[in-house]
Amino acid sequence: MLIRLKGGRIYDPANGANGTVRDIYIRDGRIVADPGDSARPDQDYDVSGKVVMAGAIDMHTHIGGGKVNIARALLPEDHRADLLARTELTRACCGHAAPSTLATGYRYAEMGYTACFEPALLPTNARQAHMEMGDVPIVDKGGYALLGNDDLLLSLMREGADQKLINDYVAWTLDVTQCIGIKVVNPGGINAFKFNARKLDLDETSPRYGITPRAILLTLAQAIEDLGVPHPLHVHGCNLGVPGNVDTTLETISGIEGLPMHLTHIQFHSYGTEGDRKFSSGAARIAEAINRNPNISADVGQILFGQTVTASGDNMSQHRNRKFASPNKWVVMDIECDAGCGVVPFRYRDQNFVNALQWAIGLEIFLSVDDPWRIFLTTDHPNGAPFTTYPHLIRLLMDKTFRNEQLARLNPDAAAASTLGSITREYTLNEMAIMTRAGPAKILGLADRGHLGIGAGADITVYTDHEDREAMFRTPDYVFKDGELVAKDGRIVKVTLGATHVVKPAYDRGIEDRLRPFFARYRSTRLENFAIDEEELCECGSSRLTVHQCRHARVA
Amino acid sequence: MANRIGAIVDHMNSTALSRNLLVLQDSGWIVTTFAEVRSRADFVLIVGTETNSRFPRFAERLIDPLDSPFSDGPMQRSVVYLGARPKAPADARVLDCPTNKLGEVFGALRCLVANRPLQAVRVAGLDMEILNGLADEMRKAKYGVVAWAAADLDQPHGELIVQSICGLVSDLNETTRFAGLPLGGNDADVTANQVTLWQTGLPLRTGFGRGVPEYDAYHFGTDRLLAGRNADVLLWISAFDPLRLPPETDVPTIVLGSPAMRFTKAPAVFIPVATPGLHHAGHFFRSDGVMAIRLRKLADSPLPSVAEALTAIEQAL
Ligand SMILES: [Zn+2]
């Protein structure tokens, strides 16, 4: 079947189109060249004057896995306030802070998103995460496997294992957990918390292992580099949320010694200690460091006001944050000599000095990083705000007048402590297409997503160019997933299954002999039962496994 | 199918499971998983003395092994059972107290751990000296664990015992590390709850009668629905255990169950089904709710899986 989108304004930064008017042709789920006058489209959509972009990609969103389901269990009252009724096509479910998997898929697709990446997939919990992601309909999924607090890696490092062996362990982890990247959360800190440490600085040695977070970051970043994995090491750094952590973050940037590194929810790591309240913005210093270091990228983790829930692998920080739980209930968990998690409900208030300044710090970072290819639009869903707030966030970035109106409503001391009011930058549509499409695809190594070139997967979103950017990005006219119309005017019209994106770097299978005894003795599952294969993924609701190229070919 | 016909989804073990769930919803908790207990716990308090009969491999797998990646020689682990002595293992260290007094014991322990004065001489038949010693031991533990099976706390408001356990664990974490370990998972109860949670956003005892999911831990309990005749029909699924028969009720009953089931009162409809992990693949959540185990197909069966049977029924509606 041939589909034509006729006369749209194309924003396709990967291929240099910045509002260029041209037709797009789709056949068998892919974008194809103009087949010429003799070919009659089976479906023709007149999109003249409309804005056409690739489907959006959320490169950091907690959509499935143990801690998300704990967050769901914790907050029935939040769900009761946001019920999705059953329709002919969609099932009854609940949304808001920790939406059901079904609501997650429906609402991402309705907003024009076609791929979501779960950033904290514990290897021991990978099976659950993939089951949940399989039940997120329509959008494609992928995961980053968590390493850096597991007793296996720390033991290897303590024994002085060579980098080659660690590379094999990292590649094996990616392979058996079916992931596309590696994330480290509070390197060594989650492990140290099990030994009753309450903080672990970048150069502090961990209990038992005597290893510093700096060494863990370097070792893992080197592994990613050696294996040729496209996505840089995905880092949730030390001292999350602690005033003064801007210094830690800057040292983390210099400490990685030029290796590629992605700093996630960097807003939560950009706090100074100036002023009467010993809490200030470090955004300018962070943005300057990102601008100066081309090996560094970041997503923001913007906070927006209202009820949400924070769900993190960083149980050391979450245990500290329990005092701010609202409503007052929280979960902390130690997990399988592998990792941990902490879930703390949170209500960000615009009249609270700290919350208001957090809001401003996030926006300052967005607007002060020069290169939109290295900064990504996230709220760290649901930690800063639910993903359904993205259209509002986009308006804040694209509309200075609107932004300043919002700023005027905040806690006045926070507004006075921020430079935000003096920043005049407004993101353009082309920059927004970079930040939410082309950039994420590039940094994840998704060759056929995030752009509208010939051969790309036909994940396409069509918007009406509305002056109110929030209205525009909330309700696209059309959303196509792999060439099928899945949403129209912000309503689901077809429910499909998404693919799972992974990488498969080459490694020596002999690593399993090294790991097997540890699993047999100390883990409560055998190594043989650990791996997830494609058949199992598809049984859980994935349409297919899409393997992306590493910089080195895979050895069979 | 529940979404389609407006049914309520519950599990045969929900009454026990909800003792934990209500605490999670009200205050949360600090918990741990099997591998951490096995390798790290230097103190384990087991609440109730039926744990070993209910979970036969619990002690063998988690409590008995004393080698650890974190200690160079065998680790030291104190194990204390708290509950009715007759059911405890023969050589165990037992603090003998009736199950219905467990809430009082944990209330007292919370006072003692917080160094608050307590005017009692004995609590639940236990001398203060013993409880003081226990509180002291807990404070001195490096990684302590309190394990309980909600099924053992079968009494009115058993969830309050779970809440006092979790409160104690939380208090202990002010100075040391401590964690709870809820034991369950039988008959895929944890599995059913996990899947219901992620697909709907709400736990078991969620109904779809009004086109949106509605959760009601009290009114949507199976026993209450049947007793009040607030259900038209009961669909009972037990693919694992042929001994788990549907409750006796006048409400018309359909059973999807093991072909080995023997009924005293025949259900209106009985559809024999295959066994997951024997006749077809599937997943099963372990008690700690983290590890999902892959169930594999080992043999052919002419019988449909529960999923196949339900899909066929739904298509015929
Ligand atoms: Zn995150």
Side-chain angles (χ1 to χ4, degrees), chain B residues 93-117:
Chain B
R93 180 177 155 203
V94 182
L95 301 183
D96 193 2
C97 89
T99 309
N100 62 2
K101 299 281 186 191
L102 284 168
E104 290 172 38
V105 175
F106 283 101
L109 285 171
R110 283 191 80 175
C111 276
L112 297 174
V113 162
N115 283 320
R116 291 200 197 106

Side-chain angles (χ1 to χ4, degrees), chain A residues 198-246:
Chain A
R198 302 301 165 118
K199 70 164 189 45
L200 193 68
D201 274 324
L202 189 63
D203 290 312
E204 208 171 331
T205 55
S206 67
R208 177 69 191 167
Y209 296 103
I211 300 167
T212 62
R214 183 190 294 268
I216 295 169
L217 290 173
L218 268 174
T219 301
L220 286 173
Q222 188 64 53
I224 295 293
E225 177 73 3
D226 292 350
L227 294 167
V229 173
H231 189 47
L233 182 64
H234 198 96
V235 175
H236 157 149
C238 314
N239 295 333
L240 172 115
V242 177
N245 63 12
V246 58

Side-chain angles (χ1 to χ4, degrees), chain A residues 60-62 67 118-120 183 185 234 236 264-265 268 299 311-313 378-383:
Chain A
H60 188 112
T61 172
H62 299 273
K67 65 189 176 312
E118 161 59 53
K183 185 192 191 195
V185 173
H234 198 96
H236 157 149
T264 188
H265 44 68
F268 289 108
D299 66 273
S312 172
T378 68
T379 56
D380 189 18
H381 163 80
N383 294 331

